[in-house]
Amino acid sequence: MADRKTVTRQTFIGEKGIALIEQRCLEMGHLFHPRRVDHGIDGHIDLVDPDSRAVLNLTLLVQSKAQDRRFSGETDDGFHYVCDQRDLDHWLSGNSPVILVFSHPESHEAWWAEVKAAFPDAVSRASRVVHIDKHTQRFDRDTAQALLRLAMPRTTGLYLRPAPITEVLTTNLLPIVEMPPTVYLAPAAFTDHRAAGAALDAHGRRESGWILREGLVLSFRSLRDSPLRVLCDGDPERHETREWADSDDLDTQYRFADLLSRTVQDSYPEMRWHKDRKHMHFRATSHLGPRKAGRGPGSRGRTVFGPHTSKSDPQRVGFYHHAALRTRFRRLDGVWYCQLEPDYCFTTDGYAEHPFADRLLAGIKRLDRHPAVRGWTRVWANYLRQDADLFTEPRAVQFGELATMTVDRGIDDRWWGPAPSGAAPEDDQDSSAAGQESLDTVLAVADTDTQGLLSLLQDGGDGAPRRRNPGSKARSAGLRTPRQGRAGSARRGR
């Protein structure tokens, strides 16, 4: 028999992918029209009003990516796809929204992403990578409203009333539920914390939980019969804590907030104060191995200290990360709260600040998004709320659970599509020369890469994909670690 032309397997997969898109569009109430000639666009969707069934003269362009095998890095939670540069340039150059539909036709699974939302800036476009969350980016009948919002011109003034559902919003405010009943104050014998600390050291013990403010020493601890007596240049006074906590005098509030801050910082021996960065962060472990903390409601805990391998030499530790926290104490509606702002610290040996700490911090801030901030906020809330153990005294300041508020309007999570490309606030756009550098360029100076920092944001918190900390892996493999040494800039002090 003479040789005959055949149809390739990929042709069948591609056609099944197109058929699946058409089927899903019909389920949504929209119309899909495949193109006879494909030059980077497989078809378009004509959007239909869900109530009147009127064709809206609104169009979305569609490119299908169908496979019978798993996509790159595919798990039960997501995958990623690297776009061809010419295709990406083509999709971004037009004035019509373009969506990519990824599918496994045999299992009738499909997901989607809007191109301009997936590539909002030069950094993301240089990477050419689309990240898909299988749980939030399904392409099914529930996507109908998201497609309508995507294609609707901004000049139409479209208003979508929030769904009549109740939502509970969680804040980053940790309420204080218990504090010492008495505030002690006395004229101070010293004018700065360094001299005062040296005086305490000279008496053989460094006491914590005190501040100097405007010629006074203040503490929740007694100034009469404790080592803190050496800080006083006169007789101490006792005041009811409630007088300070409820005072409307701003100066009194500032003093009280300062005292709360110092008392909390000194209540956790695993933490130390970074004077220059104005945050507290986890200390290094004695063996420089990973430390995990923050397990509790809403979080499985995260690695709060650990090593990370060098990009150029995987057998060497490039840097150590320390989970850090900035706090602000404020009174709202008569209740004192600790406002939590997660931060990061980077060292070369667990003590000395890394010479490219600013680069590493700039890199992680570019990667940081709401899920990571939410996860770290819960980690810190759980950590600060933990009960004292047998080896530590009960903490002077006790916290409750993160404050929440209930609103009587909400948005069905299934309606959320990819964020529009212009959603980032203008204030977030860095117009400096450093701001124009690619993320890889920023991190290359510190001898690391994006994956090395992503592990800090995706370390098993709040549903994020669990990835093994590269530093943990390196530690178990017997990495060479730098010689330990302390740096003055990272010591506790004022």
Side-chain angles (χ1 to χ4, degrees):
M1 180 180 294
D3 289 340
R4 295 194 177 188
K5 293 183 177 181
T6 59
V7 180
T8 66
R9 177 180 178 81
Q10 187 55 44
T11 297
F12 278 110
I13 295 172
E15 291 300 312
K16 289 180 180 179
I18 294 296
L20 181 59
I21 293 174
E22 184 170 11
Q23 176 187 343
R24 293 293 165 83
C25 287
L26 290 174
E27 292 172 356
M28 297 177 202
H30 302 316
L31 300 175
F32 176 70
H33 304 279
R35 288 189 175 182
R36 185 176 63 83
V37 179
D38 171 17
H39 289 291
I41 299 295
D42 287 314
H44 71 272
I45 300 174
D46 275 335
L47 298 176
V48 178
D49 183 89
D51 297 321
S52 65
R53 297 297 179 186
V55 180
L56 299 174
N57 194 26
L58 297 175
T59 299
L60 293 175
L61 303 183
V62 181
Q63 176 68 19
S64 173
K65 299 293 181 182
Q67 291 188 182
D68 60 349
R69 62 185 184 280
R70 298 173 75 84
F71 289 98
S72 297
E74 184 169 353
T75 66
D76 292 340
D77 297 314
F79 58 86
H80 64 269
Y81 182 86
V82 181
C83 301
D84 180 88
Q85 186 64 60
R86 292 182 302 173
D87 284 339
L88 185 58
D89 292 341
H90 178 60
W91 297 331
L92 293 171
S93 64
N95 58 3
S96 295
V98 178
I99 67 171
L100 306 181
V101 178
F102 304 90
S103 65
H104 293 315
E106 293 297 334
S107 59
H108 299 282
E109 296 177 291
W111 306 270
W112 72 292
E114 196 262 320
V115 172
K116 290 185 178 179
F119 300 98
D121 51 39
V123 174
S124 58
R125 292 170 191 173
S127 72
R128 298 185 287 116
V129 178
V130 180
H131 295 278
I132 298 296
D133 185 323
K134 286 186 174 182
H135 305 295
T136 62
Q137 292 175 255
R138 289 187 177 277
F139 190 73
D140 54 25
R141 68 175 65 225
D142 294 326
T143 312
Q145 288 289 341
L147 297 184
L148 280 170
R149 291 193 299 273
L150 180 62
M152 187 67 68
R154 295 184 179 183
T155 56
T156 60
L158 175 66
Y159 171 74
L160 299 175
R161 186 178 67 178
I165 60 177
T166 298
E167 286 192 346
V168 178
L169 307 181
T170 301
T171 72
N172 66 336
L173 300 175
L174 203 60
I176 296 176
V177 296
E178 185 177 339
M179 61 182 72
T182 305
V183 175
Y184 296 86
L185 70 153
F190 303 92
T191 58
D192 63 79
H193 280 82
R194 177 173 296 183
L200 287 171
D201 288 341
H203 283 72
R205 185 175 179 183
R206 172 166 286 239
E207 289 291 304
S208 60
W210 53 272
I211 64 169
L212 296 178
R213 186 76 180 260
E214 297 176 359
L216 296 174
V217 55
L218 298 93
S219 178
F220 286 123
R221 304 175 68 115
S222 174
L223 298 178
R224 295 181 180 276
D225 51 6
S226 75
L228 293 178
R229 184 71 179 86
V230 71
L231 304 180
C232 304
D233 188 28
D235 292 333
E237 299 177 6
R238 296 180 54 180
H239 293 262
E240 294 295 324
T241 297
R242 187 50 55 190
E243 296 178 16
W244 288 62
D246 294 342
S247 175
D248 292 328
D249 179 67
L250 291 180
D251 186 63
T252 301
Q253 290 183 26
Y254 293 150
R255 290 185 186 184
F256 190 68
D258 195 13
L259 180 58
L260 285 173
S261 177
R262 186 57 184 248
T263 302
V264 169
Q265 291 167 18
D266 292 333
S267 297
Y268 299 85
E270 303 93 343
M271 308 299 298
R272 73 176 174 186
W273 175 255
H274 194 307
K275 183 177 180 180
D276 295 336
R277 299 285 181 181
K278 304 300 182 185
H279 68 213
M280 56 182 183
H281 63 257
F282 277 90
R283 297 177 182 271
T285 56
S286 59
H287 60 289
L288 294 182
R291 180 204 299 272
K292 196 161 187 175
R295 183 186 300 272
S299 175
R300 296 188 293 269
R302 294 196 177 190
T303 303
V304 295
F305 168 79
H308 292 253
T309 57
S310 165
K311 182 180 179 182
S312 61
D313 180 5
Q315 292 301 311
R316 181 175 62 85
V317 172
F319 66 89
Y320 293 86
H321 87 266
H322 307 245
L325 179 70
R326 298 176 187 270
T327 60
R328 177 185 176 188
F329 287 83
R330 55 196 307 181
R331 191 181 72 190
L332 301 172
D333 290 334
V335 178
W336 278 92
Y337 295 91
C338 178
Q339 181 176 309
L340 308 180
E341 182 184 343
D343 200 5
Y344 307 91
C345 184
F346 301 96
T347 61
T348 57
D349 57 4
Y351 301 95
E353 187 169 74
H354 197 282
F356 298 111
D358 289 334
R359 287 269 175 164
L360 292 168
L361 189 60
I364 202 167
K365 290 300 183 182
R366 292 193 189 185
L367 298 171
D368 218 352
R369 294 294 183 268
H370 172 70
V373 175
R374 179 188 62 190
W376 275 114
T377 300
R378 290 192 181 279
V379 165
W380 280 110
N382 292 337
Y383 176 75
L384 295 178
R385 293 182 63 243
Q386 67 181 340
D387 295 329
D389 56 33
L390 296 176
F391 305 100
T392 57
E393 298 179 4
R395 296 186 178 89
V397 177
Q398 302 285 333
F399 296 101
E401 297 183 357
L402 285 170
T404 61
M405 60 183 68
T406 302
V407 294
D408 58 2
R409 287 292 184 271
I411 297 177
D412 192 322
D413 289 340
R414 297 174 302 175
W415 288 10
W416 288 108
S421 58
E426 292 183 2
D427 291 345
D428 290 344
Q429 304 302 319
D430 187 352
S431 59
S432 65
Q436 301 303 315
E437 292 180 296
S438 70
L439 183 57
D440 288 340
T441 301
V442 169
L443 298 179
V445 177
D447 197 17
T448 189
D449 55 19
T450 303
Q451 190 60 42
L453 292 183
L454 279 174
S455 62
L456 276 69
L457 306 178
Q458 300 176 329
D459 185 18
D462 290 301
R466 300 194 69 176
R467 302 189 182 186
R468 189 176 183 183
N469 188 315
S472 301
K473 180 178 180 181
R475 189 68 185 170
S476 63
L479 285 176
R480 303 191 303 272
T481 57
R483 185 176 180 181
Q484 296 183 21
R486 296 181 181 273
S489 64
R491 292 175 182 166
R492 172 177 287 282
R494 287 282 181 177

